[in-house]
Amino acid sequence: MKRIIVDYKKLTPELLTRLTEKFPDGYGDDDIITFDDHHNQTIEAVEVKTEDTIYLVKVHSKLHYTMTNFDSDNFTVNDLGNVIVEKDADLDN
């Protein structure tokens, strides 16, 4: 099984749907996996499995916002097929 690390900005509609289904009330401390990447930087992520892949979605303050504001019936994707959640610019402030 493949393991892929994904940033919240790179979530596809399918992966974001699986993430919100797995954590309908949000994720907690017990759901977070901590590991070191190949640059020896500590990464915190939540795990989402598909048939052939384990996705480790990096935990970020904007991930919760993205999950909360994702509407699986009405969303926008960019040219790369990643979900765009409105007001991302407001979160940077």
Side-chain angles (χ1 to χ4, degrees), residues 20 22-28 31 64 67:
T20 56
K22 182 174 182 179
F23 303 108
D25 298 322
Y27 53 87
D31 301 313
H64 182 348
M67 289 173 62

Side-chain angles (χ1 to χ4, degrees), residues 71-85:
D71 178 355
S72 61
D73 295 327
N74 185 20
F75 57 87
T76 305
V77 295
N78 63 15
D79 294 338
L80 300 174
N82 303 322
V83 174
I84 300 171
V85 176

